[in-house]
Amino acid sequence: MSLSSFPNVEILKHTSIKEAFMMVLKNCLTLKKRHNVLLYQCTFINMCKSQNQIMSFKRTSSSSMESEDEEAPVADKPKTYDSKKLQYTKFSQQELPTIKPLMTPKWIVSMFLLLGFTYIPIGIVILIISNSMIEISFNYGAACIMNYSSPSNPLNTNNEMSNFMQNVNNPKTCNVSINVPKNMKNPVYVYYQLENFFQNHRRYSKSRSDKQLCGTSLKIGDLDVCKPQDSINNVEIVPCGMIAWSLFNDTFDFSTSNGPIVVDRSGISWLSDREEIFSSFVFPSNFPNNDVYGNSSQFIGGGKLNPNVSLNANEDFIVWMRTASSPKFRKLWGKINNDINPGLVFVNITNQYNVYNFGGAKKLVLSTRSWIGGKNAFLGGAYVVVGALCVVLGFTFAMVHWRNPRPLGAIAYLSWTRKFEDSDN
């Protein structure tokens, strides 16, 4: 860029350095615009370089030095840097290298086919592993209650079955047999499954006090979230809330023709729950389910809690307190660490949990596991369906591109180009 392209350049050429510098400052203060300031500064520097003049003024006296300092404060003051100013880096200025792939039809078709031929084998492998696992489910809720039906009390309606369950004097045990078709290798997991039980209900899921469970002492007034299971006779309930009050309390005893089957009830809860959420210093007290024949018998809900066992040691309670997200859910009850051979497995069930008043169902589930978890065909089916869809879309796009090819970046296909063509026609 030459000096002739700047304004007032002819005037600057025939003036001294001091006069030229003063003229630049005057124009800068007058314009007060950043791009004009830079323009005049560049003009002045180029002029000085062209004439090989030095940008330092010799002050002959102290008076002239003071006057020149007042006239040109910007030139003599040292540069200062703002500590809050962001340093220049490629990251802060968004100058890092980037990749902008060009999605051509060949790339699109190749990606769809690659995903399809990758997902389908994965889904088939997952389905094969899922089908190889053994899962046995038995609806014992209906079978056990009907063992106690009589002509005087046929137990045909949910109301009749619920009244039978609420009477603590009625027998609740029953014996059922489950057929095991194949050898079940250990460990065999024992689940109980509840249906039409909405643990995800807003009022139910919030009816607990995590501060109380972790050991923070709270008064009755601080347990409003647990109402109406917060206190009895002005004494706080530990643990409070409807979730703890409705604890599952059915029990199962397994045996075969060779003898009883031992069920391991330890290690069924999450380690993080035992160590972080439930305290070892909190023990059940004034729990309504423990006082079956006392003053609080009308508040009996689910299972009892041993007042001598801390909350973090009661793993059944910890598993139950982790609420489910759907009305049909399973919870781990125990583990069988021995193989179960094909044949009949006899189960003695204590059928105490009342699901009949809301039309629920109870099931006992025996299942093995693999590296993908329990028996579940949904994951493998999802992989196969998505993979097949990708393959179909890949071949469809390939056929469309083959029959109607189009050059890359063709201007004739742009929307505004078509508008001009239509207007010309």
Side-chain angles (χ1 to χ4, degrees):
M1 183 178 292
S2 62
L3 290 173
S4 59
S5 60
F6 295 99
N8 299 329
V9 69
E10 296 297 331
I11 301 175
L12 292 174
K13 286 182 179 180
H14 300 287
T15 56
S16 62
I17 297 297
K18 180 178 178 180
E19 293 176 353
F21 185 74
M22 294 302 298
M23 186 178 297
V24 170
L25 290 179
K26 183 178 179 180
N27 291 330
C28 293
L29 295 175
T30 304
L31 295 175
K32 293 184 180 180
K33 293 183 179 180
R34 182 175 181 80
H35 65 278
N36 288 334
V37 172
L38 296 176
L39 184 63
Y40 279 98
Q41 287 179 350
C42 293
T43 304
F44 178 71
I45 292 171
N46 290 333
M47 185 193 68
C48 293
K49 288 182 179 180
S50 62
Q51 297 179 0
N52 296 323
Q53 296 178 344
I54 302 173
M55 294 294 297
S56 62
F57 301 104
K58 296 181 179 180
R59 279 75 174 180
T60 57
S61 61
S62 60
S63 60
S64 61
M65 183 182 298
E66 293 177 0
S67 62
E68 288 179 0
D69 287 340
E70 293 178 357
E71 293 177 354
V74 179
D76 293 339
K77 284 189 176 181
K79 294 182 179 180
T80 58
Y81 297 94
D82 189 2
S83 60
K84 297 182 179 179
K85 185 178 179 180
L86 185 64
Q87 295 182 356
Y88 174 82
T89 60
K90 290 186 177 182
F91 178 79
S92 63
Q93 299 300 325
Q94 300 183 11
E95 294 179 356
L96 295 176
T98 58
I99 299 176
K100 296 180 180 179
L102 187 61
M103 292 290 103
T104 61
K106 292 182 180 180
W107 272 103
I108 296 296
V109 172
S110 301
M111 289 175 60
F112 271 109
L113 294 179
L114 178 62
L115 291 176
F117 290 126
T118 303
Y119 284 170
I120 291 176
I122 294 176
I124 293 174
V125 171
I126 293 176
L127 287 175
I128 293 173
I129 296 175
S130 177
N131 293 331
S132 65
M133 289 182 288
I134 303 173
E135 180 179 295
I136 303 171
S137 178
F138 181 77
N139 189 348
Y140 72 92
C144 288
I145 194 67
M146 295 310 298
N147 290 340
Y148 298 98
S149 63
S150 61
S152 60
N153 189 14
L155 301 178
N156 292 329
T157 63
N158 290 332
N159 190 26
E160 293 176 351
M161 291 186 285
S162 178
N163 292 333
F164 177 84
M165 295 294 295
Q166 289 178 353
N167 190 342
V168 295
N169 297 318
N170 291 334
K172 304 290 192 312
T173 59
C174 67
N175 295 309
V176 298
S177 59
I178 300 175
N179 183 31
V180 178
K182 297 180 180 180
N183 182 36
M184 301 181 71
K185 295 183 179 181
N186 68 89
V188 179
Y189 294 88
V190 182
Y191 299 90
Y192 60 87
Q193 177 174 309
L194 299 181
E195 299 179 4
N196 201 31
F197 193 111
F198 290 84
Q199 274 197 320
N200 59 349
H201 192 279
R202 181 179 61 84
R203 291 190 61 190
Y204 181 88
S205 61
K206 288 186 176 182
S207 183
R208 58 184 291 171
S209 176
D210 291 327
K211 291 183 179 180
Q212 185 191 61
L213 297 175
C214 69
T216 304
S217 60
L218 298 175
K219 299 180 181 179
I220 298 178
D222 300 329
L223 301 177
D224 292 339
V225 293
C226 295
K227 287 184 177 180
Q229 281 76 32
D230 59 335
S231 63
I232 297 177
N233 298 327
N234 293 327
V235 180
E236 64 175 321
I237 298 174
V238 181
C240 67
M242 288 186 288
I243 305 178
W245 170 77
S246 59
L247 174 64
F248 185 82
N249 59 341
D250 286 358
T251 59
F252 312 99
D253 293 324
F254 298 89
S255 63
T256 62
S257 57
N258 298 326
I261 299 176
V262 180
V263 181
D264 185 10
R265 303 296 310 284
S266 62
I268 61 175
S269 62
W270 291 15
L271 180 63
S272 59
D273 289 351
R274 298 195 300 268
E275 293 181 349
E276 299 178 8
I277 299 179
F278 298 88
S279 174
S280 59
F281 302 102
V282 178
F283 294 85
S285 64
N286 198 35
F287 197 59
N289 297 341
N290 294 349
D291 191 10
V292 179
Y293 299 101
N295 297 328
S296 61
S297 59
Q298 67 272 21
F299 300 113
I300 299 302
K304 301 178 182 179
L305 290 177
N306 191 341
N308 298 321
V309 177
S310 61
L311 295 183
N312 74 329
N314 194 329
E315 297 201 45
D316 281 333
F317 174 73
I318 296 175
V319 171
W320 180 256
M321 291 295 289
R322 182 169 286 277
T323 56
S325 59
S326 63
K328 179 181 178 181
F329 58 89
R330 294 179 181 178
K331 291 184 180 292
L332 186 61
W333 190 81
K335 294 180 293 184
I336 300 175
N337 295 321
N338 299 320
D339 295 348
I340 300 179
N341 298 322
L344 293 177
V345 175
F346 306 100
V347 187
N348 181 269
I349 302 176
T350 305
N351 183 33
Q352 304 178 96
Y353 201 70
N354 185 9
V355 297
Y356 309 100
N357 56 349
F358 56 86
K362 298 186 293 185
K363 292 183 179 180
L364 174 65
V365 181
L366 299 177
S367 176
T368 58
R369 278 189 182 181
S370 66
W371 60 272
I372 62 172
K375 186 180 182 67
N376 189 358
F378 175 79
L379 181 60
Y383 269 103
V384 172
V385 171
V386 173
L389 183 61
C390 290
V391 171
V392 171
L393 290 176
F395 280 112
T396 302
F397 291 155
M399 185 63 65
V400 170
H401 181 63
W402 176 70
R403 297 201 52 182
N404 299 310
R406 153 183 164 180
L408 187 63
I411 303 177
Y413 292 93
L414 299 177
S415 59
W416 54 84
T417 305
R418 293 180 179 179
K419 290 181 180 180
F420 287 130
E421 291 178 355
D422 295 340
S423 62
D424 293 339
N425 294 331

